[in-house]
PDB file of all heavy atoms in Angstrom:
ATOM      1  N   LEU A 197       8.584 -14.689   6.774  1.00 96.00           N
ATOM      2  CA  LEU A 197       8.739 -14.726   5.327  1.00 96.00           C
ATOM      3  C   LEU A 197       7.659 -13.910   4.626  1.00 96.00           C
ATOM      4  O   LEU A 197       7.938 -13.185   3.666  1.00 96.00           O
ATOM      5  CB  LEU A 197       8.698 -16.178   4.838  1.00 96.00           C
ATOM      6  CG  LEU A 197       9.960 -17.017   5.042  1.00 96.00           C
ATOM      7  CD1 LEU A 197       9.690 -18.467   4.687  1.00 96.00           C
ATOM      8  CD2 LEU A 197      11.117 -16.467   4.214  1.00 96.00           C
ATOM      9  N   GLN A 198       6.432 -14.021   5.099  1.00 96.00           N
ATOM     10  CA  GLN A 198       5.342 -13.265   4.498  1.00 96.00           C
ATOM     11  C   GLN A 198       5.591 -11.769   4.608  1.00 96.00           C
ATOM     12  O   GLN A 198       5.373 -11.016   3.649  1.00 96.00           O
ATOM     13  CB  GLN A 198       4.014 -13.637   5.164  1.00 96.00           C
ATOM     14  CG  GLN A 198       3.514 -15.039   4.814  1.00 96.00           C
ATOM     15  CD  GLN A 198       2.245 -15.398   5.565  1.00 96.00           C
ATOM     16  OE1 GLN A 198       1.767 -14.641   6.409  1.00 96.00           O
ATOM     17  NE2 GLN A 198       1.693 -16.562   5.255  1.00 96.00           N
ATOM     18  N   ARG A 199       6.055 -11.333   5.768  1.00 96.00           N
ATOM     19  CA  ARG A 199       6.330  -9.906   5.963  1.00 96.00           C
ATOM     20  C   ARG A 199       7.499  -9.454   5.087  1.00 96.00           C
ATOM     21  O   ARG A 199       7.469  -8.369   4.500  1.00 96.00           O
ATOM     22  CB  ARG A 199       6.603  -9.617   7.435  1.00 96.00           C
ATOM     23  CG  ARG A 199       5.392  -9.826   8.339  1.00 96.00           C
ATOM     24  CD  ARG A 199       5.596  -9.186   9.708  1.00 96.00           C
ATOM     25  NE  ARG A 199       6.741  -9.739  10.410  1.00 96.00           N
ATOM     26  CZ  ARG A 199       6.698 -10.811  11.198  1.00 96.00           C
ATOM     27  NH1 ARG A 199       5.556 -11.472  11.358  1.00 96.00           N
ATOM     28  NH2 ARG A 199       7.774 -11.240  11.822  1.00 96.00           N
ATOM     29  N   ALA A 200       8.525 -10.302   5.001  1.00 95.00           N
ATOM     30  CA  ALA A 200       9.695  -9.955   4.185  1.00 95.00           C
ATOM     31  C   ALA A 200       9.309  -9.857   2.711  1.00 95.00           C
ATOM     32  O   ALA A 200       9.707  -8.913   2.009  1.00 95.00           O
ATOM     33  CB  ALA A 200      10.793 -10.998   4.380  1.00 95.00           C
ATOM     34  N   ARG A 201       8.528 -10.814   2.234  1.00 93.00           N
ATOM     35  CA  ARG A 201       8.106 -10.801   0.834  1.00 93.00           C
ATOM     36  C   ARG A 201       7.204  -9.605   0.543  1.00 93.00           C
ATOM     37  O   ARG A 201       7.271  -9.014  -0.546  1.00 93.00           O
ATOM     38  CB  ARG A 201       7.402 -12.113   0.500  1.00 93.00           C
ATOM     39  CG  ARG A 201       8.331 -13.317   0.499  1.00 93.00           C
ATOM     40  CD  ARG A 201       7.557 -14.622   0.530  1.00 93.00           C
ATOM     41  NE  ARG A 201       8.434 -15.781   0.630  1.00 93.00           N
ATOM     42  CZ  ARG A 201       8.021 -17.015   0.959  1.00 93.00           C
ATOM     43  NH1 ARG A 201       6.726 -17.221   1.220  1.00 93.00           N
ATOM     44  NH2 ARG A 201       8.886 -18.008   1.027  1.00 93.00           N
ATOM     45  N   ALA A 202       6.382  -9.234   1.511  1.00 92.00           N
ATOM     46  CA  ALA A 202       5.511  -8.067   1.326  1.00 92.00           C
ATOM     47  C   ALA A 202       6.336  -6.789   1.215  1.00 92.00           C
ATOM     48  O   ALA A 202       6.030  -5.902   0.400  1.00 92.00           O
ATOM     49  CB  ALA A 202       4.516  -7.972   2.476  1.00 92.00           C
ATOM     50  N   THR A 203       7.386  -6.676   2.016  1.00 92.00           N
ATOM     51  CA  THR A 203       8.252  -5.499   1.959  1.00 92.00           C
ATOM     52  C   THR A 203       8.934  -5.396   0.606  1.00 92.00           C
ATOM     53  O   THR A 203       8.981  -4.315   0.000  1.00 92.00           O
ATOM     54  CB  THR A 203       9.306  -5.558   3.076  1.00 92.00           C
ATOM     55  OG1 THR A 203       8.661  -5.574   4.343  1.00 92.00           O
ATOM     56  CG2 THR A 203      10.242  -4.356   3.004  1.00 92.00           C
ATOM     57  N   LEU A 204       9.454  -6.518   0.120  1.00 89.00           N
ATOM     58  CA  LEU A 204      10.089  -6.501  -1.195  1.00 89.00           C
ATOM     59  C   LEU A 204       9.066  -6.230  -2.293  1.00 89.00           C
ATOM     60  O   LEU A 204       9.368  -5.557  -3.281  1.00 89.00           O
ATOM     61  CB  LEU A 204      10.800  -7.836  -1.448  1.00 89.00           C
ATOM     62  CG  LEU A 204      12.000  -8.156  -0.561  1.00 89.00           C
ATOM     63  CD1 LEU A 204      12.675  -9.435  -1.034  1.00 89.00           C
ATOM     64  CD2 LEU A 204      12.995  -7.016  -0.532  1.00 89.00           C
ATOM     65  N   GLY A 205       7.855  -6.766  -2.116  1.00 86.00           N
ATOM     66  CA  GLY A 205       6.814  -6.550  -3.106  1.00 86.00           C
ATOM     67  C   GLY A 205       6.417  -5.099  -3.221  1.00 86.00           C
ATOM     68  O   GLY A 205       6.031  -4.634  -4.306  1.00 86.00           O
ATOM     69  N   ALA A 206       6.500  -4.357  -2.107  1.00 85.00           N
ATOM     70  CA  ALA A 206       6.164  -2.933  -2.142  1.00 85.00           C
ATOM     71  C   ALA A 206       7.253  -2.118  -2.829  1.00 85.00           C
ATOM     72  O   ALA A 206       6.993  -1.030  -3.346  1.00 85.00           O
ATOM     73  CB  ALA A 206       5.951  -2.418  -0.726  1.00 85.00           C
ATOM     74  N   ARG A 207       8.470  -2.654  -2.830  1.00 79.00           N
ATOM     75  CA  ARG A 207       9.591  -1.925  -3.415  1.00 79.00           C
ATOM     76  C   ARG A 207       9.805  -2.275  -4.883  1.00 79.00           C
ATOM     77  O   ARG A 207      10.215  -1.432  -5.672  1.00 79.00           O
ATOM     78  CB  ARG A 207      10.869  -2.236  -2.620  1.00 79.00           C
ATOM     79  CG  ARG A 207      12.095  -1.519  -3.117  1.00 79.00           C
ATOM     80  CD  ARG A 207      13.223  -1.580  -2.105  1.00 79.00           C
ATOM     81  NE  ARG A 207      14.419  -0.923  -2.598  1.00 79.00           N
ATOM     82  CZ  ARG A 207      15.504  -0.708  -1.861  1.00 79.00           C
ATOM     83  NH1 ARG A 207      15.524  -1.084  -0.602  1.00 79.00           N
ATOM     84  NH2 ARG A 207      16.553  -0.111  -2.376  1.00 79.00           N
ATOM     85  N   TYR A 208       9.522  -3.521  -5.232  1.00 71.00           N
ATOM     86  CA  TYR A 208       9.740  -3.988  -6.594  1.00 71.00           C
ATOM     87  C   TYR A 208       8.503  -4.691  -7.133  1.00 71.00           C
ATOM     88  O   TYR A 208       7.837  -5.408  -6.392  1.00 71.00           O
ATOM     89  CB  TYR A 208      10.924  -4.970  -6.654  1.00 71.00           C
ATOM     90  CG  TYR A 208      12.250  -4.334  -6.356  1.00 71.00           C
ATOM     91  CD1 TYR A 208      12.848  -4.477  -5.108  1.00 71.00           C
ATOM     92  CD2 TYR A 208      12.915  -3.584  -7.321  1.00 71.00           C
ATOM     93  CE1 TYR A 208      14.076  -3.894  -4.829  1.00 71.00           C
ATOM     94  CE2 TYR A 208      14.135  -2.997  -7.053  1.00 71.00           C
ATOM     95  CZ  TYR A 208      14.707  -3.158  -5.809  1.00 71.00           C
ATOM     96  OH  TYR A 208      15.911  -2.574  -5.543  1.00 71.00           O
ATOM     97  N   PRO A 209       8.205  -4.542  -8.414  1.00 60.00           N
ATOM     98  CA  PRO A 209       7.110  -5.311  -9.009  1.00 60.00           C
ATOM     99  C   PRO A 209       7.365  -6.799  -8.847  1.00 60.00           C
ATOM    100  O   PRO A 209       8.488  -7.269  -8.994  1.00 60.00           O
ATOM    101  CB  PRO A 209       7.156  -4.904 -10.495  1.00 60.00           C
ATOM    102  CG  PRO A 209       7.861  -3.586 -10.499  1.00 60.00           C
ATOM    103  CD  PRO A 209       8.845  -3.647  -9.367  1.00 60.00           C
ATOM    104  N   HIS A 210       6.326  -7.524  -8.518  1.00 54.00           N
ATOM    105  CA  HIS A 210       6.417  -8.969  -8.346  1.00 54.00           C
ATOM    106  C   HIS A 210       7.364  -9.359  -7.207  1.00 54.00           C
ATOM    107  O   HIS A 210       7.826 -10.497  -7.144  1.00 54.00           O
ATOM    108  CB  HIS A 210       6.852  -9.658  -9.642  1.00 54.00           C
ATOM    109  CG  HIS A 210       6.076  -9.233 -10.847  1.00 54.00           C
ATOM    110  ND1 HIS A 210       4.706  -9.435 -10.971  1.00 54.00           N
ATOM    111  CD2 HIS A 210       6.459  -8.570 -11.975  1.00 54.00           C
ATOM    112  CE1 HIS A 210       4.291  -8.936 -12.126  1.00 54.00           C
ATOM    113  NE2 HIS A 210       5.330  -8.399 -12.743  1.00 54.00           N
ATOM    114  N   GLY A 211       7.678  -8.407  -6.323  1.00 54.00           N
ATOM    115  CA  GLY A 211       8.469  -8.727  -5.150  1.00 54.00           C
ATOM    116  C   GLY A 211       9.934  -8.944  -5.402  1.00 54.00           C
ATOM    117  O   GLY A 211      10.644  -9.471  -4.555  1.00 54.00           O
ATOM    118  N   ARG A 212      10.449  -8.523  -6.542  1.00 58.00           N
ATOM    119  CA  ARG A 212      11.865  -8.764  -6.833  1.00 58.00           C
ATOM    120  C   ARG A 212      12.374  -7.711  -7.816  1.00 58.00           C
ATOM    121  O   ARG A 212      11.593  -7.129  -8.579  1.00 58.00           O
ATOM    122  CB  ARG A 212      12.057 -10.163  -7.394  1.00 58.00           C
ATOM    123  CG  ARG A 212      11.323 -10.437  -8.685  1.00 58.00           C
ATOM    124  CD  ARG A 212      10.962 -11.898  -8.815  1.00 58.00           C
ATOM    125  NE  ARG A 212      12.130 -12.725  -8.702  1.00 58.00           N
ATOM    126  CZ  ARG A 212      12.079 -14.023  -8.359  1.00 58.00           C
ATOM    127  NH1 ARG A 212      10.911 -14.582  -8.108  1.00 58.00           N
ATOM    128  NH2 ARG A 212      13.163 -14.745  -8.256  1.00 58.00           N
ATOM    129  N   PRO A 213      13.690  -7.470  -7.845  1.00 59.00           N
ATOM    130  CA  PRO A 213      14.236  -6.529  -8.824  1.00 59.00           C
ATOM    131  C   PRO A 213      14.019  -7.037 -10.244  1.00 59.00           C
ATOM    132  O   PRO A 213      13.756  -8.217 -10.471  1.00 59.00           O
ATOM    133  CB  PRO A 213      15.728  -6.488  -8.473  1.00 59.00           C
ATOM    134  CG  PRO A 213      15.815  -6.984  -7.067  1.00 59.00           C
ATOM    135  CD  PRO A 213      14.703  -7.973  -6.925  1.00 59.00           C
ATOM    136  N   LEU A 214      14.155  -6.130 -11.207  1.00 54.00           N
ATOM    137  CA  LEU A 214      14.006  -6.476 -12.606  1.00 54.00           C
ATOM    138  C   LEU A 214      14.986  -7.578 -12.981  1.00 54.00           C
ATOM    139  O   LEU A 214      16.181  -7.479 -12.723  1.00 54.00           O
ATOM    140  CB  LEU A 214      14.276  -5.240 -13.473  1.00 54.00           C
ATOM    141  CG  LEU A 214      14.182  -5.414 -14.994  1.00 54.00           C
ATOM    142  CD1 LEU A 214      12.740  -5.697 -15.383  1.00 54.00           C
ATOM    143  CD2 LEU A 214      14.713  -4.168 -15.683  1.00 54.00           C
ATOM    144  N   GLN A 215      14.474  -8.644 -13.596  1.00 55.00           N
ATOM    145  CA  GLN A 215      15.332  -9.746 -13.984  1.00 55.00           C
ATOM    146  C   GLN A 215      16.158  -9.347 -15.199  1.00 55.00           C
ATOM    147  O   GLN A 215      15.743  -8.560 -16.035  1.00 55.00           O
ATOM    148  CB  GLN A 215      14.499 -10.983 -14.296  1.00 55.00           C
ATOM    149  CG  GLN A 215      13.719 -11.482 -13.086  1.00 55.00           C
ATOM    150  CD  GLN A 215      13.678 -12.988 -13.039  1.00 55.00           C
ATOM    151  OE1 GLN A 215      14.589 -13.666 -13.475  1.00 55.00           O
ATOM    152  NE2 GLN A 215      12.606 -13.509 -12.481  1.00 55.00           N
ATOM    153  N   ARG A 216      17.333  -9.918 -15.294  1.00 55.00           N
ATOM    154  CA  ARG A 216      18.191  -9.639 -16.434  1.00 55.00           C
ATOM    155  C   ARG A 216      18.768 -10.940 -16.954  1.00 55.00           C
ATOM    156  O   ARG A 216      18.858 -11.926 -16.240  1.00 55.00           O
ATOM    157  CB  ARG A 216      19.325  -8.678 -16.058  1.00 55.00           C
ATOM    158  CG  ARG A 216      20.218  -9.180 -14.940  1.00 55.00           C
ATOM    159  CD  ARG A 216      21.266  -8.156 -14.562  1.00 55.00           C
ATOM    160  NE  ARG A 216      22.249  -7.979 -15.601  1.00 55.00           N
ATOM    161  CZ  ARG A 216      23.385  -8.670 -15.649  1.00 55.00           C
ATOM    162  NH1 ARG A 216      23.649  -9.575 -14.743  1.00 55.00           N
ATOM    163  NH2 ARG A 216      24.258  -8.464 -16.605  1.00 55.00           N
ATOM    164  N   SER A 217      19.154 -10.927 -18.209  1.00 50.00           N
ATOM    165  CA  SER A 217      19.698 -12.125 -18.822  1.00 50.00           C
ATOM    166  C   SER A 217      21.140 -12.337 -18.401  1.00 50.00           C
ATOM    167  O   SER A 217      21.770 -11.459 -17.808  1.00 50.00           O
ATOM    168  CB  SER A 217      19.619 -12.010 -20.349  1.00 50.00           C
ATOM    169  OG  SER A 217      20.365 -10.889 -20.790  1.00 50.00           O
ATOM    170  N   HIS A 218      21.671 -13.498 -18.722  1.00 58.00           N
ATOM    171  CA  HIS A 218      23.073 -13.776 -18.457  1.00 58.00           C
ATOM    172  C   HIS A 218      23.939 -12.923 -19.385  1.00 58.00           C
ATOM    173  O   HIS A 218      23.484 -12.448 -20.430  1.00 58.00           O
ATOM    174  CB  HIS A 218      23.355 -15.261 -18.650  1.00 58.00           C
ATOM    175  CG  HIS A 218      22.633 -16.122 -17.657  1.00 58.00           C
ATOM    176  ND1 HIS A 218      22.968 -16.166 -16.325  1.00 58.00           N
ATOM    177  CD2 HIS A 218      21.584 -16.964 -17.811  1.00 58.00           C
ATOM    178  CE1 HIS A 218      22.163 -16.999 -15.690  1.00 58.00           C
ATOM    179  NE2 HIS A 218      21.309 -17.492 -16.571  1.00 58.00           N
ATOM    180  N   PRO A 219      25.218 -12.736 -19.027  1.00 60.00           N
ATOM    181  CA  PRO A 219      26.096 -11.925 -19.867  1.00 60.00           C
ATOM    182  C   PRO A 219      26.093 -12.411 -21.322  1.00 60.00           C
ATOM    183  O   PRO A 219      26.096 -13.610 -21.587  1.00 60.00           O
ATOM    184  CB  PRO A 219      27.471 -12.119 -19.216  1.00 60.00           C
ATOM    185  CG  PRO A 219      27.169 -12.418 -17.781  1.00 60.00           C
ATOM    186  CD  PRO A 219      25.895 -13.203 -17.805  1.00 60.00           C
ATOM    187  N   ASN A 220      26.070 -11.465 -22.258  1.00 72.00           N
ATOM    188  CA  ASN A 220      26.050 -11.822 -23.663  1.00 72.00           C
ATOM    189  C   ASN A 220      26.915 -10.837 -24.441  1.00 72.00           C
ATOM    190  O   ASN A 220      27.534  -9.934 -23.868  1.00 72.00           O
ATOM    191  CB  ASN A 220      24.617 -11.841 -24.196  1.00 72.00           C
ATOM    192  CG  ASN A 220      23.861 -10.557 -23.863  1.00 72.00           C
ATOM    193  OD1 ASN A 220      24.432  -9.465 -23.945  1.00 72.00           O
ATOM    194  ND2 ASN A 220      22.602 -10.681 -23.477  1.00 72.00           N
ATOM    195  N   SER A 221      26.968 -11.010 -25.759  1.00 80.00           N
ATOM    196  CA  SER A 221      27.822 -10.161 -26.586  1.00 80.00           C
ATOM    197  C   SER A 221      27.370  -8.706 -26.545  1.00 80.00           C
ATOM    198  O   SER A 221      28.193  -7.790 -26.614  1.00 80.00           O
ATOM    199  CB  SER A 221      27.820 -10.670 -28.029  1.00 80.00           C
ATOM    200  OG  SER A 221      26.504 -10.703 -28.560  1.00 80.00           O
ATOM    201  N   GLU A 222      26.056  -8.466 -26.430  1.00 87.00           N
ATOM    202  CA  GLU A 222      25.546  -7.100 -26.346  1.00 87.00           C
ATOM    203  C   GLU A 222      26.044  -6.410 -25.087  1.00 87.00           C
ATOM    204  O   GLU A 222      26.418  -5.229 -25.120  1.00 87.00           O
ATOM    205  CB  GLU A 222      24.017  -7.121 -26.372  1.00 87.00           C
ATOM    206  CG  GLU A 222      23.386  -5.746 -26.463  1.00 87.00           C
ATOM    207  CD  GLU A 222      21.868  -5.813 -26.514  1.00 87.00           C
ATOM    208  OE1 GLU A 222      21.268  -6.213 -25.490  1.00 87.00           O
ATOM    209  OE2 GLU A 222      21.293  -5.488 -27.567  1.00 87.00           O
ATOM    210  N   GLU A 223      26.055  -7.152 -23.980  1.00 90.00           N
ATOM    211  CA  GLU A 223      26.556  -6.585 -22.738  1.00 90.00           C
ATOM    212  C   GLU A 223      28.046  -6.299 -22.839  1.00 90.00           C
ATOM    213  O   GLU A 223      28.536  -5.279 -22.330  1.00 90.00           O
ATOM    214  CB  GLU A 223      26.285  -7.563 -21.590  1.00 90.00           C
ATOM    215  CG  GLU A 223      26.702  -7.050 -20.225  1.00 90.00           C
ATOM    216  CD  GLU A 223      26.361  -8.027 -19.122  1.00 90.00           C
ATOM    217  OE1 GLU A 223      25.158  -8.192 -18.835  1.00 90.00           O
ATOM    218  OE2 GLU A 223      27.293  -8.630 -18.556  1.00 90.00           O
ATOM    219  N   GLY A 224      28.796  -7.187 -23.488  1.00 92.00           N
ATOM    220  CA  GLY A 224      30.225  -6.958 -23.677  1.00 92.00           C
ATOM    221  C   GLY A 224      30.502  -5.712 -24.498  1.00 92.00           C
ATOM    222  O   GLY A 224      31.433  -4.952 -24.206  1.00 92.00           O
ATOM    223  N   LEU A 225      29.688  -5.489 -25.535  1.00 94.00           N
ATOM    224  CA  LEU A 225      29.849  -4.296 -26.358  1.00 94.00           C
ATOM    225  C   LEU A 225      29.524  -3.038 -25.560  1.00 94.00           C
ATOM    226  O   LEU A 225      30.209  -2.014 -25.687  1.00 94.00           O
ATOM    227  CB  LEU A 225      28.942  -4.384 -27.583  1.00 94.00           C
ATOM    228  CG  LEU A 225      28.979  -3.186 -28.544  1.00 94.00           C
ATOM    229  CD1 LEU A 225      30.373  -2.977 -29.103  1.00 94.00           C
ATOM    230  CD2 LEU A 225      27.971  -3.384 -29.683  1.00 94.00           C
ATOM    231  N   LEU A 226      28.489  -3.105 -24.718  1.00 96.00           N
ATOM    232  CA  LEU A 226      28.124  -1.961 -23.880  1.00 96.00           C
ATOM    233  C   LEU A 226      29.277  -1.613 -22.938  1.00 96.00           C
ATOM    234  O   LEU A 226      29.613  -0.432 -22.765  1.00 96.00           O
ATOM    235  CB  LEU A 226      26.873  -2.298 -23.072  1.00 96.00           C
ATOM    236  CG  LEU A 226      26.360  -1.218 -22.122  1.00 96.00           C
ATOM    237  CD1 LEU A 226      25.839  -0.014 -22.897  1.00 96.00           C
ATOM    238  CD2 LEU A 226      25.271  -1.780 -21.210  1.00 96.00           C
TER     239      LEU A 226
END
Side-chain angles (χ1 to χ4, degrees):
L197 283 172
Q198 289 176 356
R199 294 195 300 272
R201 292 165 184 165
T203 299
L204 294 186
R207 181 166 178 173
Y208 293 101
H210 311 298
R212 61 209 304 158
L214 179 67
Q215 298 218 31
R216 59 183 291 268
S217 60
H218 295 289
N220 51 41
S221 58
E222 187 179 67
E223 183 178 290
L225 179 60
L226 179 67

